Amino acid sequence: KPDTPACTSCHGDDARAPGRTRAGKAIEPMAISVSPARFADAAKVEPAPSDGLAVTSTPSGARVYLDGADSGVTPFKLPGTPDKHTIVLFAPGHELYIAQLKGSGAYTIPLKEVTPSGGPAGIKVTKCAKDRYYVFLDGKPTGQLCPSERLGVELGPHVVEIHDLVTETRRQFPVTVKETRNSLRARVD
């Protein structure tokens, strides 16, 4: 498939076939559909009364995705509706916030800071639609969107996971880091 993600251990862009590593082994991405319920750590926030939908965050300036559509940054206001919405908030260096909200009310959402991963080796998540995929590493938030900066790791097996901010789905990519000199490049598009 032309859109099958691939992970490669490379030192630059080259013309390898999609889905193959430098050694020629195929890498199988795992598609995972995600519902907001998967994010148990997303605090339930009760809204203050309001006839519109208003969202603020700490820190302010978080990117807002409402029902998969990029809707601006916090503070954010819309006319109220009787239905519910899925909201995703992203601020660099913070955990991704995903929740179901009522269509009206004033919400104040604190975003948790992420402690960067560490280790002598590194992974860079590349070859993706810019500012669309939030990156998780070994099940933990990185505070980064794809393409990512170097994520410090130990040598050995890891799981790169991306959350698509538009389709609200996740995909996982198992990778094995074998050297410390150059970062492994996980290609996801």
Side-chain angles (χ1 to χ4, degrees):
K1 299 177 202 174
D3 63 340
T4 300
C7 295
T8 59
S9 178
C10 62
H11 308 296
D13 293 334
D14 57 17
R16 273 191 295 276
R20 305 245 175 230
T21 64
R22 182 171 294 218
K25 291 184 178 180
I27 295 183
E28 298 294 324
M30 297 178 273
I32 297 174
S33 178
V34 172
S35 69
R38 177 173 172 159
F39 294 87
D41 60 341
K44 291 189 176 195
V45 178
E46 285 299 318
S50 172
D51 44 343
L53 175 61
V55 178
T56 58
S57 66
T58 305
S60 64
R63 176 67 47 197
V64 177
Y65 291 84
L66 194 64
D67 297 327
D70 187 346
S71 301
V73 296
T74 59
F76 174 77
K77 286 186 178 192
L78 279 177
T81 63
D83 49 349
K84 291 187 176 183
H85 299 282
T86 299
I87 190 167
V88 178
L89 297 180
F90 167 74
H94 292 79
E95 290 185 15
L96 193 62
Y97 181 89
I98 303 173
Q100 288 274 327
L101 300 180
K102 296 175 186 173
S104 63
Y107 296 86
T108 301
I109 300 171
L111 300 176
K112 296 178 188 174
E113 282 191 65
V114 171
T115 303
S117 59
I123 296 174
K124 287 185 177 182
V125 184
T126 64
K127 301 297 180 188
C128 51
K130 188 176 180 183
D131 297 336
R132 179 167 173 173
Y133 301 112
Y134 185 88
V135 178
F136 290 85
L137 181 59
D138 297 328
K140 297 178 183 166
T142 63
Q144 295 187 36
L145 294 178
C146 184
S148 75
E149 296 295 321
R150 183 180 189 275
L151 303 166
V153 296
E154 297 295 328
L155 294 174
H158 297 279
V159 176
V160 172
E161 188 172 13
I162 58 168
H163 177 90
D164 188 328
L165 299 171
V166 176
T167 65
E168 300 173 6
T169 59
R170 282 190 177 195
R171 291 182 288 167
Q172 290 184 342
F173 306 91
V175 297
T176 301
V177 179
K178 297 179 180 177
E179 66 174 274
T180 58
R181 194 181 91 211
N182 294 303
S183 293
L184 179 129
R185 296 187 189 276
R187 298 172 68 167
V188 298
D189 269 352

